[in-house]
Amino acid sequence: NFTAGTPTIPLGETVYFDAGISTGAVLFVWEFSPGATGFGEQDSFVYETPGTYNITLTAYDSAFNVDTKTKTIIVARDFTYLDNLSLADLSASDLTVSEDGHHAWISHFAGALTTVDISNPSNMLRLSSISAVQARGITNANGYIYTDATSAGLQIYEATVPTPTLVGTYNTNTLDGQRAEESLIIDNLMYLAAGPAGYKLIDLRNTPNLEVVASAELPNGHDARAIAVGDGMMYLADDTGKVFQYDVSAISTTNPASGPVTLKGEMDNEWIVHFLAVSEANDFLVAYSSPGGMFIYDVSDTSDTEPDFISHTDVPALADGLNPSVIIVQGSKLFAGFGQTLTYGTALAKFNLADPVNPYIMEWQSMDGQVAGITRGGVLRGDKLFFANSKYDAVSIDLVDVP
């Protein structure tokens, strides 16, 4: 057997391997990566390329009996801070990025909509800021921007650059006068967590003329706060800690029309869930709460009315009182933003979810001194992560070569 330091190794740092816990061995052969070998009870190696590596130790005793042991490490470099764009006292609530990655639109708690040129993430440029209804979230699709207004349902803008054009406000007729909490768009269908109104599934094909194709309050009558969708299933978190699971497979995302939405089951958390995300393989659901931490459920069987609980991970001690404020799942990685309103501390963490039973932090980076505020909306475009900030800022983080 052998030890290899921590599971995650910073790029370029010397990794020390020690087979001293082996018994009876007299010859040791190490394979650090394909073609890279070493010898001896202790050895070291420097990894020059980020990635996941299997380290194999082959040990021989004096009678030439052989045994092997393999362990896995991850070599990763830190997030690279690129730019911080001051938005002059406009507290950002969320951010959305155009599909081509050239522009970002930021909603604000103060009541504004800002357009930013992000074609050069190291030198982002503010193009315009216009007055808007206070909004909690923002999305875009097919040439339109949709803000989740806290008091007016949805506001819709044509995504004209540099200044978006307001083309509609939908509240009483579309959302029964209720506020919008969070939305996401797949093809031509918007999935909306609408607070006391529960959920709304909205056909966007004729924007700015919207049509609700399905809606209902939550079974317990509480507010729908967070939403995630995957493999024909919709997950809604309320304001008590429950997560409800709905079958929405009967409603096409490309040609939405009225159809049945079936309540399949529910999951109970001890803590109120603030953020939901489904893995890209649609096999597990992440529910992140503050201060409860991260809860993971097995949702691989869509016929299961009681998804199995897989694991719970506390909010990292590294957060030191910071609250999770956004999560993004990409492959086997989860990116989490943290912040605290009193100290305006901000940090980013990356978790490895390859084994949902034992998730662990791959990287942690404090943004104090560079960013003041709480990370809010976050969007991945290619190898860049962009996020909004609740105090003044829009920020881009370089994720090139991060495994």
Side-chain angles (χ1 to χ4, degrees):
N1 208 336
F2 66 94
T3 59
T6 59
T8 302
I9 309 298
L11 181 66
E13 183 174 296
T14 300
V15 187
Y16 295 94
F17 302 92
D18 188 346
I21 58 177
S22 298
T23 57
V26 297
L27 176 64
F28 304 87
V29 180
W30 301 89
E31 183 179 17
F32 306 118
S33 64
T37 57
F39 301 91
E41 187 174 313
Q42 289 88 29
D43 208 340
S44 62
F45 192 75
V46 177
Y47 291 89
E48 302 292 346
T49 304
T52 301
Y53 295 90
N54 293 321
I55 298 95
T56 300
L57 170 65
T58 303
Y60 301 84
D61 65 12
S62 56
F64 291 101
N65 295 308
V66 63
D67 194 12
T68 61
K69 181 72 172 181
T70 299
K71 292 186 177 182
T72 300
I73 64 170
I74 293 171
V75 178
R77 68 176 178 82
D78 289 339
F79 299 115
T80 302
Y81 166 80
L82 291 178
D83 194 20
N84 174 21
L85 179 66
S86 176
L87 296 178
D89 296 334
L90 292 175
S91 179
S93 61
D94 199 1
L95 170 146
T96 187
V97 174
S98 61
E99 286 298 326
D100 61 12
H102 292 166
H103 298 95
W105 294 280
I106 301 170
S107 58
H108 299 277
F109 289 119
L113 175 62
T114 296
T115 303
V116 179
D117 182 344
I118 59 171
S119 55
N120 179 2
S122 297
N123 185 28
M124 298 184 297
L125 300 174
R126 175 179 178 172
L127 300 180
S128 67
S129 289
I130 60 175
S131 296
V133 174
Q134 182 187 62
R136 295 178 58 90
I138 187 169
T139 51
N140 81 93
N142 306 320
Y144 290 93
I145 303 164
Y146 305 85
T147 63
D148 306 329
T150 55
S151 61
L154 290 172
Q155 281 202 308
I156 303 170
Y157 297 82
E158 189 174 351
T160 49
V161 175
T163 306
T165 303
L166 180 66
V167 294
T169 298
Y170 291 84
N171 45 23
T172 303
N173 293 333
T174 302
L175 296 174
D176 304 325
Q178 304 294 351
R179 66 181 182 269
E181 292 281 351
E182 183 182 8
S183 64
L184 58 89
I185 297 172
I186 300 176
D187 298 326
N188 297 313
L189 184 63
M190 173 183 285
Y191 302 83
L192 178 68
Y199 68 82
K200 304 285 181 181
L201 273 57
I202 302 174
D203 183 357
L204 303 180
R205 285 176 297 174
N206 296 315
T207 300
N209 299 311
L210 306 184
E211 180 183 355
V212 176
V213 296
S215 65
E217 294 183 3
L218 297 185
N220 59 4
H222 282 265
D223 289 9
R225 291 289 183 83
I227 190 168
V229 176
D231 197 23
M233 306 298 291
M234 177 176 66
Y235 305 91
L236 285 164
D238 72 1
D239 55 1
T240 70
K242 288 186 179 294
V243 178
F244 295 96
Q245 179 186 30
Y246 294 86
D247 184 344
V248 293
S249 59
I251 299 180
S252 167
T253 60
T254 53
N255 297 293
S258 297
V261 173
T262 306
L263 178 65
K264 297 286 291 185
E266 64 183 61
M267 293 152 269
D268 288 312
N269 283 283
E270 180 181 354
W271 304 94
I272 296 175
V273 174
H274 295 87
F275 306 98
L276 291 172
V278 180
S279 64
E280 291 182 350
N282 298 312
D283 54 353
F284 61 84
L285 172 74
V286 179
Y288 218 132
S289 68
S290 173
M294 179 167 60
F295 300 84
I296 301 180
Y297 296 89
D298 182 352
V299 294
S300 57
D301 182 0
T302 56
S303 65
D304 189 356
T305 59
E306 296 183 6
D308 292 331
F309 171 76
I310 297 177
S311 65
H312 168 244
T313 302
D314 287 329
V315 174
L318 292 166
D320 191 23
L322 303 180
N323 298 320
S325 52
V326 63
I327 62 172
I328 305 171
V329 173
Q330 181 191 58
S332 62
K333 300 178 290 293
L334 180 143
F335 299 92
F338 292 85
Q340 214 282 336
T341 54
L342 298 179
T343 61
Y344 293 108
T346 298
L348 289 173
K350 182 175 68 175
F351 291 84
N352 187 322
L353 303 182
D355 179 6
V357 176
N358 297 296
Y360 61 88
I361 286 183
M362 300 171 67
E363 294 185 42
W364 173 271
Q365 182 166 331
S366 173
M367 304 301 291
D368 288 344
Q370 294 173 325
V371 183
I374 301 175
T375 54
R376 289 292 180 184
V379 177
L380 276 167
R381 280 290 182 267
D383 54 14
K384 302 292 190 299
L385 169 65
F386 299 88
F387 63 85
N389 187 278
S390 67
K391 193 176 183 185
Y392 303 128
D393 311 303
V395 177
S396 63
I397 299 294
D398 182 6
L399 298 178
V400 175
D401 294 333
V402 174

